[in-house]
Amino acid sequence: MSDIFSLVLNFIVNIFIEIIAIFIMIFSAIKNLIASKKVGKVNVDINQKIKYKKIINDNKKLKILFIVNIILLIIIIFLLVLFILKIQTEERFLIFTILIIMTIVCAINYYVSNKIFKEEIIIKALNEISPDLVYNHNKGISEADYRFADFEKYDRFKSEDLISGNILNNSFIISDVLTYNTENVYKHRGHYRKKVFSGAVAKVNLKKDIQSFIYIINNKLRLFDSKYKIIIDNESFNKKYNVYSDNEILTMRILTPAVTSLILDMETKTGVPFELKIYKNVIYFRFYTKNLFQLGLTANSSAKNLAYSLEIINCIQAIMKELLQIISDVEV
Amino acid sequence: MWYILIIILIIVIIWFVYVLNRFIYLKKRIERSKSVIDVFLKERFDLIPNLVESCKGYLNYEKETLSKIVELRTDFAKNNNQKSGEKLNKYYKELIGIFENYPELKANETILNLQKQLEKLESEIAAARRIYVNDITSYNTLVRKIPSNLVAKIFKYQEINYPILETEEIKIKF
């Protein structure tokens, strides 16, 4: 009797454990889904978007190129379908040749549109937010500058779309950065290139050395050495960010309630995770986003991308200004 | 069947030890944060005689405030009289307020250096106080929260009152 009882009890306990495991799995799947929806969600100001769309539409050349691009894409899709349908016939070689030519024309068209977008439109749009910002499509943040922040291990570095200027007389730059690391496959049978970071990096030089580091990381990203972890007196900030430093007093002096609320504001506005590092005499900002100033397929999507990128720059500038003011007042 | 009970018991013991260690850690942290504030206050306290000495020549009309500060500081240093300490704080704030009315103080290098040191100290005191309050909040939350309040009751960990802090931050401007 007792055997049957223990068997039944064992069965119930096992079922219970299984149900809990299933619930945990479902819960974590939903949590991940919500997190993935939240990361990279772009909140673009409609008025800004309309303003930048007008700048794009005012450029007649670009407007025509956008139309040509869409027509070319429609032709390419049509030819592709036709190629699949006529794969058994003699006409397939002719269709294939036209398809290749059209793809090349489309690529050239995109290249020219991108050049106009970067050389004319972005400069005009940047002038709207701050006339002293200078844009250079071919330049990027230098590798030495990036390496100094010691963000991660990498062996390939690429940077472009450099914007430079001044914030409260401190030099400021922001650019797109892409880093890769070569990793070995099992037992050194080969290697592959793994993308380590892709996004925007901003940097401001300080006029004084804080002789410490302060590292703020969105907790969706990664963790740092827990012995340096610092709890800030803002609960909603602690829920979203982890703060690490080797100087707790200095961190509390710099991360005032005004700075923490600006950082939370930026999260709401841009919806992308980021890292902020104050290291010696430099402030770094790293945004896990798509490329800044990406040309879209239409004027509408390009204006949206532009509004988004400029919103990020605006937010970074606001936080940098507040930080610079605090650090200049702080005697180290 | 028994092994399930043993596993549950082990989990409970691990949790118990973890919560107890957390209480010990937070208590130590509160003590440390408090002593950090004391260190900064002592530094500020030690700067007062220098400040008074350097300002004597300029603040002819505020001699009463200066002598009161010297008197209170001596009393506080000798007898560790808390009331003298509080009054000293009040007069110190008054003195900092008076500085703004004397632009000629800016020319004195010793006073400017003292100003920088005081600015740093005031900002450090404010930061240390924020850390102290933060630590007390974490500790009190653990004392109140279920189920850690059970451990608090067993080991008689009680809520700590928040310190009565100076409400206004002292801004040093000459």
Side-chain angles (χ1 to χ4, degrees), chain A residues 49 68 82 139 190:
Chain A
K49 194 180 132 185
V68 172
L82 204 66
K139 274 191 178 176

Side-chain angles (χ1 to χ4, degrees), chain A residues 53-237:
Chain A
K53 196 177 170 185
K54 193 180 173 298
I55 296 176
I56 294 170
N57 284 333
D58 284 349
N59 191 310
K60 294 258 160 59
K61 241 194 279 175
L62 193 63
K63 206 176 170 185
I64 294 164
L65 286 168
F66 272 133
I67 295 165
V68 172
N69 221 7
I70 290 168
I71 294 168
L72 283 170
L73 276 173
I74 293 167
I75 294 171
I76 288 170
I77 293 166
F78 174 74
L79 286 171
L80 211 61
V81 174
L82 204 66
F83 178 73
I84 294 164
L85 292 174
K86 303 259 178 178
I87 197 116
Q88 303 290 350
T89 63
E90 285 296 308
E91 289 156 343
R92 68 180 188 271
F93 294 110
L94 181 71
I95 298 166
F96 185 71
T97 317
I98 299 169
L99 190 66
I100 295 291
I101 292 166
M102 283 298 166
T103 311
I104 293 168
V105 173
C106 188
I108 294 168
N109 190 61
Y110 186 81
Y111 173 78
V112 177
S113 328
N114 199 31
K115 211 174 167 198
I116 295 169
F117 181 69
K118 295 206 165 178
E119 285 175 0
E120 293 174 30
I121 307 296
I122 293 173
I123 291 168
K124 261 189 195 171
L126 272 177
N127 268 329
E128 295 265 330
I129 63 160
S130 176
D132 63 326
L133 290 176
V134 180
Y135 174 71
N136 192 330
H137 162 51
N138 300 314
K139 274 191 178 176
I141 186 170
S142 77
E143 198 187 342
D145 276 344
Y146 185 76
R147 203 173 275 277
F148 183 73
D150 196 22
F151 280 121
E152 74 253 323
K153 197 180 141 217
Y154 65 88
D155 52 21
R156 280 180 82 95
F157 171 88
K158 199 183 154 204
S159 179
E160 58 178 18
D161 287 336
L162 180 81
I163 294 167
S164 48
N166 275 297
I167 303 174
L168 303 172
N169 293 325
N170 294 270
S171 70
F172 160 78
I173 53 170
I174 178 166
S175 85
D176 275 336
V177 169
L178 194 61
T179 58
Y180 290 100
N181 200 26
T182 311
E183 292 193 1
N184 288 317
V185 184
Y186 180 65
K187 286 186 179 174
H188 301 278
R189 282 181 188 155
H191 59 265
Y192 69 100
R193 210 188 292 160
K194 188 183 165 194
K195 194 194 279 179
V196 186
F197 171 74
S198 168
V201 175
K203 183 196 147 211
V204 164
N205 287 325
L206 297 169
K207 283 176 183 153
K208 66 170 79 159
D209 186 345
I210 65 158
Q211 293 161 11
S212 297
F213 76 88
I214 299 170
Y215 197 8
I216 303 168
I217 318 173
N218 187 302
N219 54 19
K220 281 173 202 154
L221 297 173
R222 61 201 163 104
L223 296 169
F224 193 67
D225 195 342
S226 63
K227 74 174 176 185
Y228 295 115
K229 192 160 190 238
I230 286 168
I231 308 291
I232 300 295
D233 50 352
N234 181 337
E235 213 173 305
S236 41
F237 187 83

